[in-house]
Amino acid sequence: MTSADADADADGQDLPVLTAGYIHFPPIAYTDDQGQAQGSIIDLTNQLAAASGYRVEWKSYPINRIYRSLDTGDIDFWPGSPKVPALQDFTVESSSLGVRVKLCAFALEGTPRINHYKDLSNHDLVVIRGYTYREQLNRVIAENHSHPIVAPDHTAAMEILLRGRAQYLISYGHPMQEVLADYPLQGTRCDQLDEWPLVYVISKRNPQAEEIAEALDDAYLAWREDNPEPHRLRGVRNRLATAQ
C-alpha cells in the first residue's frame, strides 16, 4: 500500500458512519465467505455514500428486523422497496436507483400461465423463507386453499417444483437467475406478478434523513452521468430480472 492509499483509507475512516441493513438477495446483496457484505447494490451504495461524505457499515438482517430497525433508528437506511405501508410513518425515500425488482410466479413447462396474482388462489405454492411480498400477494397467499410450502432457499424450492409438490414458486428475478446458473431446469419461466424500483428507505430517527436522501440522489445522478449504460445481466437469464 502506498502512502497515498493509506491516507485515503484514513480519510475514509474519518467519515461519518451510516448504518445500513440488507437482506440476502443475490447478486444484489449477500454475505460472502468472509462475512462481508457484497453485491451490486452494496458496491453502488458505498460509492454514493463516499461521494456524499459518508461511510457505510452494513448489517445483514431478516426483513422484519430491518423494518423494526428503521423504526427504532438502529439502522439509518435500507436499499429496498418503495412505498411499503408498514414503513410510511417513519421513513423517507430516495429516488429510484435504476434497478427494478421483478416478482414472479416461477413454473415449469406445461403449467398453466398466471396472468394476475389472483390466479394463484387455487394453486399449490412454494415461497422462500425470509422474503416478503407485496400487500396484494400476501393476501392471496394467506387466503390460498392450501397453506403454501415454505422452502429454506431457492434450490430447495426448485426441488419442490420438480417433484410436483407445488405448481408455482413465488420469488424474485435476481436471486432466481443465480440459482438457475447452478441448477438449470429447462422450461422454467417467470409469470410476472409485479415490478418496482429499488430506492433507499431512510429512517426518520436520523435527524438528517431528508438531507441524506437528497445527498444520495445527487450522488446517484452524478454517478449515472459517468455510467450511462445500466449493468446488463448475463445470458438468457436476463429475462428474469431487469435493470433500467
Side-chain angles (χ1 to χ4, degrees):
M1 178 183 291
T2 67
S3 59
D5 291 334
D7 290 340
D9 286 349
D11 290 343
Q13 292 302 313
D14 289 339
L15 294 175
V17 174
L18 296 176
T19 303
Y22 69 98
I23 63 170
H24 182 73
F25 201 86
I28 289 178
Y30 61 95
T31 305
D32 66 16
D33 293 339
Q34 287 72 47
Q36 300 299 310
Q38 300 291 348
S40 56
I41 201 67
I42 304 292
D43 293 341
L44 175 61
T45 302
N46 288 338
Q47 292 182 57
L48 300 184
S52 304
Y54 297 100
R55 179 168 59 87
V56 181
E57 290 186 354
W58 292 97
K59 296 184 180 294
S60 176
Y61 286 152
I63 188 63
N64 289 334
R65 185 171 177 185
I66 284 180
Y67 288 3
R68 291 195 303 272
S69 297
L70 287 168
D71 188 12
T72 61
D74 289 338
I75 62 174
D76 295 301
F77 71 98
W78 163 56
S81 302
K83 297 180 175 60
V84 176
L87 303 180
Q88 292 299 289
D89 291 342
F90 51 85
T91 61
V92 297
E93 295 174 3
S94 73
S95 299
S96 169
L97 297 172
V99 178
R100 299 190 67 84
V101 173
K102 182 185 291 186
L103 178 62
C104 299
F106 292 98
L108 301 179
E109 188 173 358
T111 309
R113 189 167 292 277
I114 296 295
N115 297 310
H116 191 274
Y117 59 84
K118 291 181 179 179
D119 296 341
L120 295 167
S121 298
N122 296 314
H123 293 291
D124 295 322
L125 310 178
V126 55
V127 297
I128 307 297
R129 180 179 297 136
Y131 282 1
T132 59
Y133 305 97
R134 305 296 269 186
E135 184 177 0
Q136 302 94 322
L137 186 55
N138 282 335
R139 191 179 311 121
V140 169
I141 291 173
E143 296 171 354
N144 188 266
H145 76 290
S146 62
H147 192 68
I149 299 171
V150 180
D153 54 42
H154 285 84
T155 300
M158 293 298 289
E159 288 280 2
I160 288 169
L161 278 190
L162 191 59
R163 294 174 183 175
R165 295 177 57 204
Q167 295 169 286
Y168 301 95
L169 190 173
I170 310 303
S171 191
Y172 298 92
H174 289 91
M176 274 295 291
Q177 75 165 8
E178 292 292 290
V179 172
L180 290 174
D182 299 320
Y183 193 96
L185 287 180
Q186 295 300 318
T188 306
R189 72 168 194 273
C190 157
D191 293 344
Q192 184 171 324
L193 302 171
D194 205 350
E195 188 177 22
W196 59 89
L198 283 186
V199 301
Y200 292 126
V201 183
I202 303 164
S203 172
K204 288 182 181 178
R205 302 296 183 190
N206 188 313
Q208 296 179 309
E210 295 281 358
E211 290 87 344
I212 293 168
E214 291 176 5
L216 292 174
D217 280 345
D218 290 344
Y220 176 75
L221 290 175
W223 179 86
R224 176 54 74 199
E225 287 183 2
D226 293 333
N227 300 269
E229 291 298 323
H231 175 66
R232 296 300 179 186
L233 300 166
R234 298 187 303 275
V236 297
R237 295 188 304 279
N238 189 40
R239 71 187 185 278
L240 301 183
T242 59
Q244 69 173 14

